[in-house]
Amino acid sequence: MAIVAGVDFGTLSVRVTLMETSGEHLGTAVAPYPLHTSPADPYRATQSHADHMEALATATRAAVADAGIDGRDVAAIACDTTGSSVIPVDENLEPVGEYYLWCDHRAHREAAEITEVFRASGHEAIDWCGGVYSHEWGYAKLLHFLRHDPEAGRMASAFEHCDMVAATLAGVTRPADAVRSVCALGHKWMWNPKWGGLPPEELLAKVDPRLAGINDRLAGEVATSDRIAGHLSAEWAERLGLAAGIPIPVGAFDAHWDAVGSGCRMGDIVNVVGTSTCIIALGPRDSGTIPGLCGLVPGSVHPAHMGVEAGQSATGDVFDAIARRAGRSLADLGEEVVSYRAAQTGLLRVPWDNGDRTVLVRPDLGGVTMGWTLSSTAADELFAAIEGMALHVRVIVDRMGEGGVPSERIINAGGVPQRSETLNQVYANALGRDILVPTRSPVGVGSCVFAGLAAGAFDSIEAGQDALCPPMRRFAPDPAAVAVYDELFAIFRDVYFALGEGRSADLGRVLPTLHRLRAPH
């Protein structure tokens, strides 16, 4: 047995979890850090690398104290982070400014230009990221920095958060010496071994000459998370209260390791449901592109399989917004809908409140609610939003299946399913299949799995999952509700593709169908 540390950097805080590789949870601690926004620029959202690392030191020492252990007994430390959080660095691997956080959307023009050039070229890299390069992703943010930041001349390279943290902990001081994550480069920077790694530089330079030579600045070893990024330096061992020299595996994104921590195997689809939803699955290694899916990357979740990523741009944020508009607490509204039956609100809600990430890849869309009456309530809208989220997931799962991704089990991970049995039951009914939910939060468990692998305590990811992942609760579909949701899904799908893609559909049947389904049955 060994003691390992699993680190999860979220949007506003870092969580450190200590576990024995036998499966015992020893201690957890959380430390916050500020998010920097500006009233003058609603698209701006940045964070300081120094704040992140200070919070990591605070949380690690607190977790060790909570566990009642000697920190020098920790055998390895592994870190996952938010994705699309990009920081420019100088030649000494020191930050030049702050992270463009995942929710920083200043690079929307740059993303559109990258999409246009790659589509016109016919290069397959754009197909592997769903046909649209996102304003959240690396090259777009880097180009925005090069165009607008007065310190741009000092930039030698740039890193995703997971790679920057690992390099910092390992004492790396040259960008070229840092190991980069397959998960990060593949999902956000169009990296794929099919075309030799990063996308053609001549296309990037065509977008803007400032990107000429950029791939040379991003050069370095690219590896999956079963590999070692480095070993804990003496400086950071002292700051964290751990032993110097312990291994640090190559990092990855939080949703991908949350899926591993939820027990994800081939045939599983994991909905990591939080403020937004990231949907993670494993596909055959030789899988091809799937239209509308924002990322298929070999080795990004499990080194032996194709990592498949999709998602919803807002989930918990939509529920919070409904409660906020009503002047009610979400917990209060949630209690009101516990006894709601399928389609009883007479509302159909298409959850595009923050755009559509999958399968339309349309950030320019807005939420749609149909079927309002004079008696509709905030609780009705909340329940319809939960139903809409579930029906949208059904669209995504269907698209994955068309692309050859198996879906033998559906797992609801993330924070929201831990708090809402209503959501889990609606998902089971709307998808017509069992929904599995971890009995405790899997956050940090995936990091501990990879830390245990790095420490030599496990000989495979599966062995680590068997030892550390929590057991599951099962939500079984109600046959009567399934029949109702099959009807509701038919009109949801028509509205979704008619308004989002311009497909022909008989929209005249939507409101009468909602009215009929609303009646007791």
Side-chain angles (χ1 to χ4, degrees), residues 217-233:
R217 301 198 206 185
L218 301 174
E221 182 183 355
V222 181
T224 50
S225 293
D226 58 339
R227 303 280 298 280
I228 303 299
H231 295 81
L232 190 63
S233 69

PDB file of all heavy atoms in Angstrom, residues 217-233:
ATOM      1  N   ARG A 217       7.771  26.969 -30.812  1.00  0.00           N
ATOM      2  CA  ARG A 217       7.743  27.448 -29.431  1.00  0.00           C
ATOM      3  C   ARG A 217       6.960  26.495 -28.518  1.00  0.00           C
ATOM      4  O   ARG A 217       7.125  26.533 -27.295  1.00  0.00           O
ATOM      5  CB  ARG A 217       7.098  28.831 -29.367  1.00  0.00           C
ATOM      6  CG  ARG A 217       7.788  29.892 -30.184  1.00  0.00           C
ATOM      7  CD  ARG A 217       7.316  31.239 -29.677  1.00  0.00           C
ATOM      8  NE  ARG A 217       7.399  32.285 -30.667  1.00  0.00           N
ATOM      9  CZ  ARG A 217       7.124  33.563 -30.425  1.00  0.00           C
ATOM     10  NH1 ARG A 217       6.710  33.916 -29.217  1.00  0.00           N
ATOM     11  NH2 ARG A 217       7.214  34.470 -31.363  1.00  0.00           N
ATOM     12  N   LEU A 218       6.095  25.683 -29.111  1.00  0.00           N
ATOM     13  CA  LEU A 218       5.294  24.732 -28.335  1.00  0.00           C
ATOM     14  C   LEU A 218       5.917  23.339 -28.322  1.00  0.00           C
ATOM     15  O   LEU A 218       5.323  22.388 -27.812  1.00  0.00           O
ATOM     16  CB  LEU A 218       3.882  24.642 -28.923  1.00  0.00           C
ATOM     17  CG  LEU A 218       3.082  25.945 -28.966  1.00  0.00           C
ATOM     18  CD1 LEU A 218       1.761  25.736 -29.711  1.00  0.00           C
ATOM     19  CD2 LEU A 218       2.812  26.471 -27.557  1.00  0.00           C
ATOM     20  N   ALA A 219       7.119  23.219 -28.872  1.00  0.00           N
ATOM     21  CA  ALA A 219       7.756  21.900 -29.012  1.00  0.00           C
ATOM     22  C   ALA A 219       8.114  21.320 -27.654  1.00  0.00           C
ATOM     23  O   ALA A 219       8.380  22.032 -26.684  1.00  0.00           O
ATOM     24  CB  ALA A 219       9.004  22.026 -29.875  1.00  0.00           C
ATOM     25  N   GLY A 220       8.113  20.001 -27.592  1.00  0.00           N
ATOM     26  CA  GLY A 220       8.476  19.280 -26.378  1.00  0.00           C
ATOM     27  C   GLY A 220       7.864  17.894 -26.412  1.00  0.00           C
ATOM     28  O   GLY A 220       7.090  17.560 -27.314  1.00  0.00           O
ATOM     29  N   GLU A 221       8.209  17.091 -25.438  1.00  0.00           N
ATOM     30  CA  GLU A 221       7.653  15.742 -25.359  1.00  0.00           C
ATOM     31  C   GLU A 221       6.154  15.811 -25.077  1.00  0.00           C
ATOM     32  O   GLU A 221       5.699  16.598 -24.243  1.00  0.00           O
ATOM     33  CB  GLU A 221       8.345  14.951 -24.253  1.00  0.00           C
ATOM     34  CG  GLU A 221       7.848  13.518 -24.132  1.00  0.00           C
ATOM     35  CD  GLU A 221       8.481  12.750 -22.987  1.00  0.00           C
ATOM     36  OE1 GLU A 221       9.396  13.312 -22.331  1.00  0.00           O
ATOM     37  OE2 GLU A 221       8.049  11.610 -22.736  1.00  0.00           O
ATOM     38  N   VAL A 222       5.382  14.998 -25.786  1.00  0.00           N
ATOM     39  CA  VAL A 222       3.939  14.896 -25.585  1.00  0.00           C
ATOM     40  C   VAL A 222       3.645  13.485 -25.098  1.00  0.00           C
ATOM     41  O   VAL A 222       4.077  12.507 -25.724  1.00  0.00           O
ATOM     42  CB  VAL A 222       3.171  15.202 -26.887  1.00  0.00           C
ATOM     43  CG1 VAL A 222       1.667  15.111 -26.650  1.00  0.00           C
ATOM     44  CG2 VAL A 222       3.554  16.576 -27.433  1.00  0.00           C
ATOM     45  N   ALA A 223       2.918  13.352 -23.999  1.00  0.00           N
ATOM     46  CA  ALA A 223       2.768  12.037 -23.392  1.00  0.00           C
ATOM     47  C   ALA A 223       1.398  11.858 -22.759  1.00  0.00           C
ATOM     48  O   ALA A 223       0.707  12.831 -22.421  1.00  0.00           O
ATOM     49  CB  ALA A 223       3.852  11.821 -22.326  1.00  0.00           C
ATOM     50  N   THR A 224       1.000  10.606 -22.605  1.00  0.00           N
ATOM     51  CA  THR A 224      -0.229  10.261 -21.914  1.00  0.00           C
ATOM     52  C   THR A 224       0.019  10.212 -20.409  1.00  0.00           C
ATOM     53  O   THR A 224       1.163  10.258 -19.942  1.00  0.00           O
ATOM     54  CB  THR A 224      -0.757   8.900 -22.402  1.00  0.00           C
ATOM     55  OG1 THR A 224       0.326   7.944 -22.355  1.00  0.00           O
ATOM     56  CG2 THR A 224      -1.258   8.992 -23.836  1.00  0.00           C
ATOM     57  N   SER A 225      -1.050  10.109 -19.631  1.00  0.00           N
ATOM     58  CA  SER A 225      -0.942  10.276 -18.182  1.00  0.00           C
ATOM     59  C   SER A 225      -0.421   9.046 -17.444  1.00  0.00           C
ATOM     60  O   SER A 225      -0.312   9.080 -16.214  1.00  0.00           O
ATOM     61  CB  SER A 225      -2.304  10.697 -17.610  1.00  0.00           C
ATOM     62  OG  SER A 225      -2.644  11.990 -18.051  1.00  0.00           O
ATOM     63  N   ASP A 226      -0.087   7.986 -18.168  1.00  0.00           N
ATOM     64  CA  ASP A 226       0.609   6.868 -17.531  1.00  0.00           C
ATOM     65  C   ASP A 226       2.121   7.080 -17.542  1.00  0.00           C
ATOM     66  O   ASP A 226       2.874   6.224 -17.081  1.00  0.00           O
ATOM     67  CB  ASP A 226       0.250   5.550 -18.212  1.00  0.00           C
ATOM     68  CG  ASP A 226       0.573   5.545 -19.702  1.00  0.00           C
ATOM     69  OD1 ASP A 226       0.686   6.637 -20.302  1.00  0.00           O
ATOM     70  OD2 ASP A 226       0.683   4.450 -20.278  1.00  0.00           O
ATOM     71  N   ARG A 227       2.544   8.239 -18.043  1.00  0.00           N
ATOM     72  CA  ARG A 227       3.966   8.600 -18.088  1.00  0.00           C
ATOM     73  C   ARG A 227       4.274   9.630 -16.995  1.00  0.00           C
ATOM     74  O   ARG A 227       3.391  10.285 -16.469  1.00  0.00           O
ATOM     75  CB  ARG A 227       4.315   9.169 -19.470  1.00  0.00           C
ATOM     76  CG  ARG A 227       3.989   8.226 -20.624  1.00  0.00           C
ATOM     77  CD  ARG A 227       5.053   7.172 -20.802  1.00  0.00           C
ATOM     78  NE  ARG A 227       6.329   7.790 -21.136  1.00  0.00           N
ATOM     79  CZ  ARG A 227       6.655   8.217 -22.372  1.00  0.00           C
ATOM     80  NH1 ARG A 227       5.783   8.106 -23.374  1.00  0.00           N
ATOM     81  NH2 ARG A 227       7.837   8.754 -22.597  1.00  0.00           N
ATOM     82  N   ILE A 228       5.555   9.787 -16.710  1.00  0.00           N
ATOM     83  CA  ILE A 228       5.998  10.690 -15.648  1.00  0.00           C
ATOM     84  C   ILE A 228       6.408  12.034 -16.260  1.00  0.00           C
ATOM     85  O   ILE A 228       7.199  12.094 -17.200  1.00  0.00           O
ATOM     86  CB  ILE A 228       7.174  10.094 -14.854  1.00  0.00           C
ATOM     87  CG1 ILE A 228       6.771   8.740 -14.263  1.00  0.00           C
ATOM     88  CG2 ILE A 228       7.635  11.054 -13.760  1.00  0.00           C
ATOM     89  CD1 ILE A 228       5.599   8.808 -13.307  1.00  0.00           C
ATOM     90  N   ALA A 229       5.852  13.128 -15.701  1.00  0.00           N
ATOM     91  CA  ALA A 229       6.217  14.467 -16.164  1.00  0.00           C
ATOM     92  C   ALA A 229       7.474  14.971 -15.467  1.00  0.00           C
ATOM     93  O   ALA A 229       8.181  15.832 -16.000  1.00  0.00           O
ATOM     94  CB  ALA A 229       5.064  15.439 -15.905  1.00  0.00           C
ATOM     95  N   GLY A 230       7.743  14.472 -14.276  1.00  0.00           N
ATOM     96  CA  GLY A 230       8.912  14.907 -13.523  1.00  0.00           C
ATOM     97  C   GLY A 230       8.809  14.411 -12.088  1.00  0.00           C
ATOM     98  O   GLY A 230       7.953  13.579 -11.756  1.00  0.00           O
ATOM     99  N   HIS A 231       9.695  14.921 -11.254  1.00  0.00           N
ATOM    100  CA  HIS A 231       9.712  14.544  -9.838  1.00  0.00           C
ATOM    101  C   HIS A 231       9.714  15.807  -8.988  1.00  0.00           C
ATOM    102  O   HIS A 231      10.270  16.838  -9.394  1.00  0.00           O
ATOM    103  CB  HIS A 231      10.931  13.670  -9.528  1.00  0.00           C
ATOM    104  CG  HIS A 231      10.886  12.343 -10.229  1.00  0.00           C
ATOM    105  ND1 HIS A 231      11.257  12.178 -11.552  1.00  0.00           N
ATOM    106  CD2 HIS A 231      10.469  11.110  -9.799  1.00  0.00           C
ATOM    107  CE1 HIS A 231      11.095  10.910 -11.914  1.00  0.00           C
ATOM    108  NE2 HIS A 231      10.619  10.247 -10.861  1.00  0.00           N
ATOM    109  N   LEU A 232       9.101  15.741  -7.829  1.00  0.00           N
ATOM    110  CA  LEU A 232       8.881  16.920  -7.016  1.00  0.00           C
ATOM    111  C   LEU A 232      10.215  17.547  -6.594  1.00  0.00           C
ATOM    112  O   LEU A 232      11.074  16.878  -6.015  1.00  0.00           O
ATOM    113  CB  LEU A 232       8.057  16.549  -5.780  1.00  0.00           C
ATOM    114  CG  LEU A 232       7.525  17.710  -4.944  1.00  0.00           C
ATOM    115  CD1 LEU A 232       6.540  18.563  -5.754  1.00  0.00           C
ATOM    116  CD2 LEU A 232       6.841  17.173  -3.686  1.00  0.00           C
ATOM    117  N   SER A 233      10.368  18.826  -6.902  1.00  0.00           N
ATOM    118  CA  SER A 233      11.609  19.532  -6.597  1.00  0.00           C
ATOM    119  C   SER A 233      11.714  19.787  -5.096  1.00  0.00           C
ATOM    120  O   SER A 233      10.721  19.769  -4.354  1.00  0.00           O
ATOM    121  CB  SER A 233      11.655  20.868  -7.339  1.00  0.00           C
ATOM    122  OG  SER A 233      10.694  21.773  -6.814  1.00  0.00           O
TER     123      SER A 233
END
